[in-house]
Every structure is written in structure tokens, then in C-alpha cells.
Amino acid sequence: MKPLNNICIRWLQGCLIFFVAGCSSQVKQKIVSPVDIEKSAFVHRAFNQIGEAKNLIKNGDIITRLGNDFTSQSLKKLNRRDETWSHCGIASFENDTLFVYHSLGGEWNPDEKIKRDLFEAFSEPFSNNGIGIYRFDISESVVKKIPLTASTFKNAGVSFDMDFNLQSDDKMYCAEFVCKVIEKASGKSLEFNHSFINKFEFIGVDDIFLHPQCRHVKTYLYK
């Protein structure tokens, strides 16, 4: 029969080898490359910018963004005067939570209904290059109606307009949605420029933020 002390020593040695091997494996898994560090720093900086932007936004503001995907880069070229932004929505504070109403289609929104996203989700830096804040110089009574009208359109089941047809009110693309919400909320006292490509008539994102009564508050480009 083997001495008990030898058995204990061998058992402890085996445990130690297993422990060292396990720790070594965990250390290897936690090695972070300079690229990973930079990506993490980029995301941290971007969400700090998003937090700063949130403190500037007021009810009824227009929030623009530029996606980093091919579709967004193509859509911004529809703008006839300023290609800075590819998408826009309407800011709405509800029970101290900031949402953005916007019309979106494609793989990001399979049911194609008007979206009501948390501001952080609308602005996230993983698929966007940055955001802009714009504000209309209008009466407070109209400002209050803008998010309420956006909510009404959403509750009515308005969906994304793949045909980009300005004549249909049951389907709207992003700039058309913002335009029609503001026109309705203002009783048509605010009207927007229409852009053209040959005979194709549409409302570009720049037709919203370049409106004479719309002023730029701040731009955040994620870096």
C-alpha cells in the first residue's frame, strides 16, 4: 500500500498543474490587440458624445444621422444641396426618456412600420458615422404638437414607402415623414422645398435641415 503522504503530494501536484494550465488558458483568452483597444476607445468616446448630445436636445428637434453602410452612403447622394446626412427623425421626450420617431425600411426594420427608438439606439456608433441636432424657430405650441403628431402617424400604422411616392400618406420615407409631421403640426404654416432628379419629385433630408426656419444646434462626428 502506497504511503498516504505520497498520494497527497501527487494529488496536490496534479491540482497545481491543472490550475496553472487553466490560468494560462484564461490569460491567453484575455489578450487584447491594439486594434481592439482602439475600437473600445472609439465606442467609449462616441457614447460620451451621444450623452452630451442628449443634454442639448429638446422636444420636437430634428435628429439627423449618417450611416456607414452602402445604402446610407447612396441615399445621402439624393440630397441636391448638402450630402452630410442620410436619415432623419423627430425627438420626443416621454416620461423623461428620449425617443426618436423615424421611418425606416430594409433589413433594419422588417415590418417597415414607423419606428420609435431610444435615442441611444438611433444614434449608436456601430452603424453610424455621426449625428446632427436641428431645431425649428417656431412657437412652443407647434413644438409640442410635433412629437404628438409623429406618434399619431405611428399609431395609424404608417409604413415605409419603398416607392418614394409623395402622394401617398399611408406610406412615407424618412424625410417625407418628418416633412408631413411638421406641416400637419404647424397647420401648413411651415412648408418644405421639394427636390427633383429629372421628373422624379421628392423631399431630401437636406430639404428638412436647410429649411429657412431650421437652425443647426450641433453636429457630432464619431472619431
Side-chain angles (χ1 to χ4, degrees):
M1 183 175 179
K2 296 179 180 179
L4 182 59
N5 285 345
N6 288 342
I7 295 174
C8 290
I9 290 171
R10 289 178 184 176
W11 181 80
L12 288 171
Q13 287 175 336
C15 288
L16 182 60
I17 292 170
F18 178 81
F19 177 76
V20 171
C23 288
S24 299
S25 175
Q26 289 178 9
V27 169
K28 288 179 181 178
Q29 290 175 1
K30 291 181 180 179
I31 291 175
V32 181
S33 72
V35 174
D36 290 332
I37 292 172
E38 179 52 35
K39 284 182 179 178
S40 177
F42 166 80
V43 170
H44 180 73
R45 290 193 301 269
F47 274 109
N48 281 341
Q49 290 178 291
I50 290 169
E52 181 184 319
K54 189 174 182 179
N55 291 327
L56 293 178
I57 294 170
K58 294 184 178 181
N59 217 29
D61 281 355
I62 306 304
I63 312 300
T64 57
R65 74 184 186 194
L66 175 61
N68 56 26
D69 59 290
F70 175 78
T71 301
S72 297
Q73 296 299 315
S74 299
L75 284 174
K76 75 173 188 174
K77 296 184 184 301
L78 286 175
N79 296 337
R80 300 293 83 197
R81 294 173 287 167
D82 188 325
E83 295 184 3
T84 303
W85 308 110
S86 61
H87 190 61
C88 58
I90 295 170
S92 175
F93 281 96
E94 301 170 21
N95 296 322
D96 296 326
T97 300
L98 177 56
F99 295 95
V100 179
Y101 287 89
H102 61 120
S103 182
L104 188 68
E107 61 182 313
W108 305 279
N109 186 28
D111 69 1
E112 298 186 343
K113 300 295 185 182
I114 297 294
K115 289 180 68 66
R116 172 180 170 267
D117 283 337
L118 286 170
F119 171 67
E120 291 82 358
F122 179 89
S123 308
E124 51 81 13
F126 306 106
S127 54
N128 294 298
N129 290 332
I131 57 172
I133 306 169
Y134 294 85
R135 185 170 300 150
F136 280 90
D137 292 321
I138 50 181
S139 68
E140 189 61 32
S141 61
V142 174
V143 169
K144 289 180 180 178
K145 290 179 182 177
I146 290 175
L148 294 175
T149 304
S151 176
T152 299
F153 280 24
K154 181 184 185 303
N155 293 337
V158 173
S159 59
F160 185 77
D161 188 358
M162 294 296 293
D163 296 323
F164 288 75
N165 178 10
L166 287 176
Q167 305 310 313
S168 62
D169 288 339
D170 60 330
K171 294 183 178 182
M172 303 177 192
Y173 53 93
C174 70
E176 178 189 6
F177 167 68
V178 171
C179 167
K180 289 183 175 179
V181 165
I182 294 175
E183 286 184 343
K184 184 172 182 179
S186 67
K188 289 279 189 169
S189 63
L190 281 176
E191 295 186 330
F192 292 82
N193 175 72
H194 289 198
S195 293
F196 291 85
I197 298 178
N198 298 323
K199 293 183 178 181
F200 173 55
E201 181 180 3
F202 65 101
I203 297 169
V205 175
D206 60 338
D207 290 324
I208 304 297
F209 65 82
L210 292 180
H211 189 283
Q213 287 180 252
C214 187
R215 63 183 175 89
H216 174 242
V217 176
K218 193 158 184 177
T219 290
Y220 292 89
L221 297 178
Y222 306 143
K223 295 179 181 179

